[in-house]
């Protein structure tokens, strides 16, 4: 994985707040290469090993709603502000994003019966292994936001888009119960934009400033532990 040259970055990323993060990552080219090799190899192996689980989850979703798709695709933002379609197992009723906020709150009536179980053990995230193979995502990195929320990024937050979006991160682990925090909010979108997003970004930026392949591995191990012992 190589960073683009500074002059080829999107204009909104070429600012004084992003520059220190860029220079720090530029000096870690070997770690970035190891990260991509690991991502591709591990994703390929996991898809092969977990294929029975993927099939079982697919069938459980179709059993509940036979006429609806089992997969959920949505536009998200990844490296350099590029749009891509994230792939997840569907845990909400079809059209849920048009029926309310784009964040999920505890007790959200849009979540299906199977969806509650899939969310608890993060099984809905498994199809993102395909996103990793395609290079749109990484195992570790800032969770990809929808364009609506990226529009509220401050200048330093754009630094998180120097690398591909991730399935997990310290911020994701810390805010794994985000739905509970939004439950009592009068306006979930506003609360997310003004309070939760900036808090998560502080973790993401710190992680970016101290990026190393070994730190990525530590976060993956910690994530596995959190999923096994929710």
């Amino acid at each position: 994985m190589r960073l683009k040259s500074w002059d080829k970055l999107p204009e909104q990323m070429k600012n004084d707040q992003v520059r220190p993060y860029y220079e720090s990552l530029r000096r870690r080219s070997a770690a970035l290469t190891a990260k991509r090799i690991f991502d591709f190899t591990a994703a390929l192996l996991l898809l092969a090993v977990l294929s029975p689980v993927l099939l079982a989850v697919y069938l459980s979703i179709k059993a509940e709603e036979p006429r609806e798709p089992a997969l959920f695709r949505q536009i998200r933002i990844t490296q350099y502000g590029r749009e891509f379609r994230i792939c997840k197992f569907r845990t909400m009723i079809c059209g849920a994003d048009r029926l309310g906020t784009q964040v999920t709150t505890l007790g959200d009536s849009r979540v299906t019966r199977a969806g509650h179980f899939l969310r608890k053990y993060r099984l809905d995230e498994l199809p993102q292994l395909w996103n990793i193979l395609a290079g749109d995502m990484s195992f570790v990195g800032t969770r990809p936001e929808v364009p609506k929320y990226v529009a509220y990024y401050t200048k330093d937050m754009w630094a998180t888009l120097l690398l591909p979006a991730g399935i997990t991160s310290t911020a994701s682990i810390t805010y794994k119960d985000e739905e509970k925090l939004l439950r009592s909010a009068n306006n979930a979108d506003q609360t997310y934009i003004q309070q939760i997003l900036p808090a998560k970004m502080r973790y993401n930026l710190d992680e970016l400033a101290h990026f190393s392949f070994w730190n990525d591995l530590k976060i993956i191990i910690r994530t596995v532990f959190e999923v096994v012992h929710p």
Side-chain angles (χ1 to χ4, degrees):
M1 181 191 303
R2 286 189 176 184
L3 292 176
K4 285 185 176 181
S5 60
W6 178 260
D7 62 329
K8 291 184 178 179
L9 293 181
E11 287 303 317
Q12 61 266 40
M13 296 182 72
K14 291 189 288 187
N15 63 63
D16 292 339
Q17 286 77 14
V18 170
R19 190 74 190 232
Y21 296 99
Y22 176 85
E23 294 298 334
S24 177
L25 289 173
R26 194 170 59 86
R27 293 191 294 269
R28 293 173 168 82
S29 58
L32 290 173
T33 299
K35 177 182 178 73
R36 179 55 189 158
I37 293 173
F38 173 84
D39 281 343
F40 187 87
T41 304
L44 198 61
L45 288 173
L46 284 173
L47 278 171
V49 172
L50 297 176
S51 55
V53 177
L54 290 163
L55 178 60
V57 173
Y58 175 86
L59 293 175
S60 70
I61 296 172
K62 294 299 286 185
E64 185 172 347
E65 295 181 295
R67 297 184 179 181
E68 303 296 348
L71 294 177
F72 171 72
R73 306 293 298 274
Q74 186 182 49
I75 295 293
R76 299 287 182 95
I77 304 299
T78 188
Q79 189 177 30
Y80 306 131
R82 179 172 59 83
E83 291 186 351
F84 77 105
R85 285 190 176 274
I86 195 171
C87 187
K88 304 175 70 173
F89 279 123
R90 185 173 56 81
T91 60
M92 305 179 81
I93 60 174
C94 284
D97 54 339
R98 298 189 297 273
L99 299 175
T101 177
Q102 290 186 308
V103 290
T104 309
T105 59
L106 187 66
D108 199 314
S109 61
R110 297 173 298 171
V111 179
T112 62
R113 288 194 303 275
H116 286 291
F117 178 82
L118 298 179
R119 283 171 173 264
K120 181 178 180 180
Y121 294 101
R122 303 296 192 268
L123 295 174
D124 58 316
E125 310 284 359
L126 289 179
Q128 287 167 54
L129 292 170
W130 290 108
N131 290 127
I132 291 177
L133 286 180
D136 294 327
M137 293 184 69
S138 173
F139 277 101
V140 178
T142 300
R143 284 296 297 167
E145 299 285 359
V146 296
K148 173 182 178 179
Y149 296 138
V150 174
Y152 289 92
Y153 276 15
T154 57
K155 288 185 176 181
D156 58 340
M157 289 179 185
W158 280 97
T160 62
L161 297 180
L162 288 169
L163 296 181
I167 289 180
T168 188
S169 65
T170 300
S172 298
I173 297 169
T174 304
Y175 283 85
K176 65 177 183 177
D177 295 323
E178 179 182 298
E179 296 176 358
K180 294 180 181 178
L181 299 176
L182 293 169
R183 182 180 187 180
S184 59
N186 292 326
N187 186 317
D189 273 330
Q190 188 176 50
T191 299
Y192 183 78
I193 292 167
Q194 295 180 354
Q195 299 179 31
I196 296 179
L197 180 61
K200 289 166 69 174
M201 280 298 183
R202 284 193 287 272
Y203 284 102
N204 291 328
L205 289 170
D206 181 69
E207 210 161 86
L208 191 65
H210 299 93
F211 166 75
S212 75
F213 178 65
W214 301 113
N215 281 341
D216 272 16
L217 292 181
K218 291 176 186 177
I219 292 169
I220 291 171
I221 293 170
R222 185 182 170 194
T223 300
V224 171
F225 180 81
E226 293 287 342
V227 170
V228 173
H229 300 281

